[in-house]
Amino acid sequence: MTIQDSGAARPAGRPRSEKAEKAIIDATLDLIGEGMGVSELSIEAIASRAGVGKTTIYRRWSNKEDLVVDALSTLKAPLPPLSGTSVRDDLISLLDAMRREAGQARTRCVMNIAMSEADRYPRLMERFVKRAVEPRRQALRSVIERGVATGELRPDLDVELAMALFSGTMMWQSKWGPAGDLPADLAERVVDTVLLGLAGDRVRR
């Protein structure tokens, strides 16, 4: 967790503090993206790349794992606003956010390298999932549960399985789909294909 500076407000210092924090986050992501795993990553290497002293890092993060969690979390875009007009529209919004994130080569590279060490750093990954992944899972769950309640989706729907169908398909496309950028209409096509099984002829457009 980022440690807030104490003391009185310093108008001239705050922009400098934010600049240093961004440099530290960028340095962390750059080093991971270049192939340096979490186990190899060091505060010294991050400080050198960011052009700051180690004490500047330790004033904000108590250890390397806290810094990595914050850095990885910046790769996740804010949740998109959901209109609530229809389950279909909201599902497309959520999945399209996944498409945009997966379409960034740097994000894919960093996440693949970091996640490869999940077994060695279970606490780090648990905190990352809680902070950056679970809010997206909850948003997807809420939309699907709303669809069941409104009759847009089958009343006997297995919500967890439906979540896996949507998110798993997007993950498969981003990792093992055709080379090149993900199609702009991918989210819409995935949602419509899955909804055919979840709602049958009750899919609302």
Side-chain angles (χ1 to χ4, degrees):
M1 179 179 295
T2 303
I3 301 174
Q4 299 295 325
D5 292 337
S6 58
R10 293 168 292 146
R14 184 163 180 77
R16 186 162 55 249
S17 173
E18 291 175 349
K19 183 178 180 180
E21 193 161 307
K22 183 180 185 304
I24 294 165
I25 291 291
D26 286 344
T28 303
L29 296 176
D30 286 344
L31 289 170
I32 295 175
E34 291 168 8
M36 185 177 289
V38 177
S39 58
E40 302 171 281
L41 196 64
S42 68
I43 294 296
E44 289 81 1
I46 296 169
S48 176
R49 175 64 66 92
V52 302
K54 291 193 295 183
T55 54
T56 301
I57 295 178
Y58 283 120
R59 279 199 297 268
R60 293 162 173 79
W61 294 276
S62 59
N63 55 59
K64 178 177 70 174
E65 289 191 5
D66 288 347
L67 171 53
V68 172
V69 169
D70 277 0
L72 294 179
S73 296
T74 65
L75 297 175
K76 293 291 185 181
L79 281 168
L82 302 179
S83 67
T85 304
S86 73
V87 166
R88 177 181 179 271
D89 289 347
D90 286 351
L91 287 172
I92 290 174
S93 294
L94 289 172
L95 267 61
D96 197 54
M98 294 178 63
R99 179 192 66 83
R100 291 194 302 273
E101 288 176 2
Q104 300 176 26
R106 180 173 184 249
T107 296
R108 290 200 307 270
C109 179
V110 170
M111 293 303 299
N112 287 340
I113 293 171
M115 294 300 109
S116 69
E117 296 188 274
D119 291 342
R120 297 185 62 180
Y121 294 91
R123 177 176 170 272
L124 185 156
M125 296 307 161
E126 179 182 351
R127 291 180 57 212
F128 172 72
V129 167
K130 182 176 180 180
R131 175 171 173 179
V133 178
E134 188 54 38
R136 289 159 175 75
R137 284 177 49 81
Q138 185 55 49
L140 182 59
R141 181 183 294 109
S142 296
V143 171
I144 294 173
E145 289 177 343
R146 191 186 83 221
V148 173
T150 61
E152 293 174 80
L153 303 178
R154 297 200 320 254
D156 62 343
L157 181 64
D158 183 328
V159 173
E160 291 296 321
L161 180 58
M163 291 171 59
L165 289 171
F166 285 116
S167 58
T169 302
M170 294 299 294
M171 290 177 63
W172 188 93
Q173 287 285 337
S174 65
K175 290 180 177 292
W176 297 290
D181 295 337
L182 296 177
D185 65 342
L186 178 61
E188 183 175 1
R189 291 194 288 115
V190 169
V191 168
D192 285 344
T193 299
V194 175
L195 284 182
L196 286 174
L198 302 186
D201 58 6
R202 289 179 295 177
V203 176
R204 297 179 182 177
R205 294 181 177 273

